Amino acid sequence: MTDPEPKVPNPRKADLVRLRGDLAKEVDGFRDALKRPTADMGSDKVWVGRNARAWQQELDGRNRRLRDQVDKLLPVIDAAIRNEPDQVSRSDARMYHQGA
């Protein structure tokens, strides 16, 4: 009987952990990308009138949707990390590196 193929650290998990770290540094900037333009438009110092109010309401809605979507990013990556095994076979790691 032969030994099973040796296990190696899971490269996909390592990439996901790295992605999570990089994203965690940027998430606040993404969340607040439309914050200042929304505040500026709502201040009546940039543009006034019916069209300005409609545009500001649209921008405010987009700002809320952007924040909601950004808030989902880290939990999605965290779930993906939890679902990855710590180690995989050497051939699985090789296939991952080859993009298969």
Side-chain angles (χ1 to χ4, degrees), residues 14-83:
D15 284 350
L16 287 168
V17 169
R18 194 170 18 264
L19 172 65
R20 197 220 186 273
D22 292 346
L23 183 60
K25 295 175 192 170
E26 304 293 335
V27 77
D28 287 336
F30 293 152
R31 289 182 86 243
D32 294 336
L34 295 177
K35 183 178 182 179
R36 182 163 180 184
T38 301
D40 289 348
M41 283 301 298
S43 71
D44 288 337
K45 293 180 182 176
V46 176
W47 186 18
V48 295
R50 185 174 1 144
N51 290 336
R53 279 190 301 279
W55 203 85
Q56 192 276 332
Q57 288 173 347
E58 173 70 22
L59 186 58
D60 186 52
R62 289 176 185 256
N63 183 40
R64 282 193 309 273
R65 286 190 300 277
L66 175 64
R67 292 175 69 92
D68 289 346
Q69 293 301 312
V70 168
D71 287 343
K72 295 175 184 175
L73 291 173
L74 290 177
V76 166
I77 294 172
D78 289 339
I81 290 169
R82 280 191 307 274
N83 288 330

